[in-house]
Amino acid sequence: MGLQQGKTAPDFELKDQDGEKFHLASELKKGPVVLFFYPADFTPGCTAEACSFRDSYEQFTDAGAIVAGISTDSANSHRKFASKYRLPFTLLSDTGGAVARKFAVGRRLMGLLPGRETFVIDRNGMVRLNFNSMGPKGHVRTALQIVRELKGD
């Protein structure tokens, strides 16, 4: 079970699929951030989840949110994944899993598989949602609901 609602999100910096730095504190200055941790590029469930975020991406950006996916895959793998499925958002490479540990994202299947959790972080760095489900469905709908509520704040 990951970092809980009401806690301050830990700051981090990771490289994206293009080798650019993504610094959470800098991104929060622009608006709320949706981080979805997922097990691996190109797997059926992760592809479904990423494509679901892709299909709702405009709704997130219209509400002022930044969307980023995080897995332990390399930047090169992320670049291929984003290209193949036309993913418009940032994919971050957490190769050692340090950021997932900071967010207390659990592992599944006796510790063999990285967890699937989605966090919505408001502009103040507060976790407003932690959605923990190995199923890829529900992450987008639940995160979008919270982002829209934040827009009304």
Side-chain angles (χ1 to χ4, degrees):
M1 190 76 88
L3 191 65
Q4 294 303 302
Q5 185 175 323
K7 300 288 184 184
T8 300
D11 194 24
F12 67 88
E13 188 174 280
L14 290 173
K15 292 223 173 151
D16 70 13
Q17 69 265 36
D18 298 318
E20 300 295 322
K21 290 181 182 176
F22 178 100
H23 183 220
L24 180 60
S26 298
E27 296 301 320
L28 288 171
K29 291 176 185 175
K30 302 173 192 173
V33 174
V34 177
L35 296 177
F36 69 98
F37 288 82
Y38 65 99
D41 294 339
F42 298 104
T43 60
C46 297
T47 299
E49 180 180 22
C51 289
S52 191
F53 272 104
R54 176 201 64 205
D55 295 345
S56 298
Y57 182 70
E58 191 173 315
Q59 294 174 62
F60 282 102
T61 58
D62 285 350
I66 292 123
V67 176
I70 303 178
S71 81
T72 56
D73 291 311
S74 69
N76 187 45
S77 177
H78 283 337
R79 191 170 34 261
K80 291 175 183 174
F81 187 52
S83 177
K84 180 171 182 169
Y85 294 103
R86 297 178 310 283
L87 305 177
F89 45 81
T90 299
L91 294 176
L92 301 171
S93 184
D94 185 23
T95 53
V99 173
R101 285 190 296 279
K102 283 183 177 185
F103 277 80
V105 175
R107 296 185 66 83
R108 308 292 179 164
L109 296 173
M110 300 184 305
L112 298 174
L113 187 65
R116 182 186 314 278
E117 292 191 46
T118 297
F119 297 87
V120 175
I121 305 161
D122 69 19
R123 292 180 77 127
N124 298 314
M126 181 80 56
V127 174
R128 299 293 292 264
L129 170 74
N130 169 337
F131 189 83
N132 180 341
S133 172
M134 277 311 282
K137 295 186 179 191
H139 289 262
V140 172
R141 182 182 63 250
T142 306
L144 189 55
Q145 178 183 340
I146 298 299
V147 166
R148 286 179 172 152
E149 288 172 12
L150 290 173
K151 187 176 181 180
D153 281 354

